[in-house]
Amino acid sequence: MNLKKIITLFLGTLLILALPAGCGGKKDSEPPAEDLAPAQEGPEEEGAAALGSLASFTAGTLDGGTFTQADVAAKDVTVFNFWALTCPPCIAEMPDIAAFEKALPDNVAMVTVCLDGYGNEDSVREVLEDAGFEGVTLISGEGDLLDLAGNLMYTPTTVLADSGGTLVGEAIIGGRADLSAAYLEAVNQVLEAGGKDAVSLEDA
């Protein structure tokens, strides 16, 4: 079941079922405007552009700041990982995401989006601190970010945006045994499609 009518913020509650490669959950009825919950299990990969774009949005960060399309425009590629506190595979891969983020060159950014983070900030901080993630984490938002989140069917889901906010390549859905290699390959596909040089991880 697709998720629609998400108006202002990410949810306060997620109904998620643990699955081998990720988590999914379905709504029993139409949710309140603030709610966001992944729907049923989806395929492992699909064209990210089918989920929407990130050309126009405003988001609130875990540290109380604001993140917008202007931040996306400042990088050649921004990797967005959508996860939830109630998704064990999402939390299990967070140390790998933290290591990937720290090794990225300056023209590539890694951002996490905690779908049930709003109102649960302390729990989000604990997960991220345990994992060593020091990048940007979004916990609320408006515009294209909400539309994209409403189209997700599975967590974790990772999408890549170019500097214009266009989602490029395939959505990476579910966990990966070698997350850094999968993410790096996806990043370089986006860079090369845009006529940019491929990158390597600084700590590799």
Side-chain angles (χ1 to χ4, degrees), residues 75-127:
K75 303 292 182 180
D76 291 330
V77 182
T78 303
V79 182
F80 288 86
N81 172 259
F82 290 82
W83 65 286
L85 291 167
T86 48
C87 172
C90 300
I91 294 172
E93 73 176 8
M94 196 58 67
D96 291 336
I97 289 174
F100 179 78
E101 189 273 334
K102 289 175 183 174
L104 287 173
D106 290 340
N107 64 323
V108 182
M110 176 85 221
V111 174
T112 77
V113 185
C114 186
L115 298 173
D116 53 354
Y118 187 78
N120 298 301
E121 290 86 353
D122 288 344
S123 296
V124 176
R125 288 189 188 96
E126 183 178 352
V127 169

Side-chain angles (χ1 to χ4, degrees), residues 131-165:
F133 183 77
E134 299 174 357
V136 174
T137 292
L138 311 181
I139 59 170
S140 67
E142 300 177 309
D144 287 346
L145 183 65
L146 282 176
D147 293 339
L148 192 163
N151 290 329
L152 297 180
M153 297 182 67
Y154 207 50
T155 56
T157 292
T158 299
V159 297
L160 290 83
D162 65 15
S163 60

Side-chain angles (χ1 to χ4, degrees), residues 77 79 100 108 160 182-192 199:
V77 182
V79 182
F100 179 78
V108 182
L160 290 83
Y183 279 11
L184 183 61
E185 179 181 3
V187 164
N188 282 328
Q189 287 175 354
V190 176
L191 288 171
E192 291 168 358
V199 298

Side-chain angles (χ1 to χ4, degrees), residues 5-11 33-36 54 56-62 65-68 80 82 112-118 137-150:
K5 299 184 180 177
I6 302 167
I7 308 297
T8 0
L9 300 171
F10 292 130
L11 74 97
E34 295 81 9
D35 281 356
L36 173 69
L54 289 169
S56 179
F57 72 93
T58 300
T61 66
L62 181 61
T66 301
F67 189 92
T68 71
F80 288 86
F82 290 82
T112 77
V113 185
C114 186
L115 298 173
D116 53 354
Y118 187 78
T137 292
L138 311 181
I139 59 170
S140 67
E142 300 177 309
D144 287 346
L145 183 65
L146 282 176
D147 293 339
L148 192 163

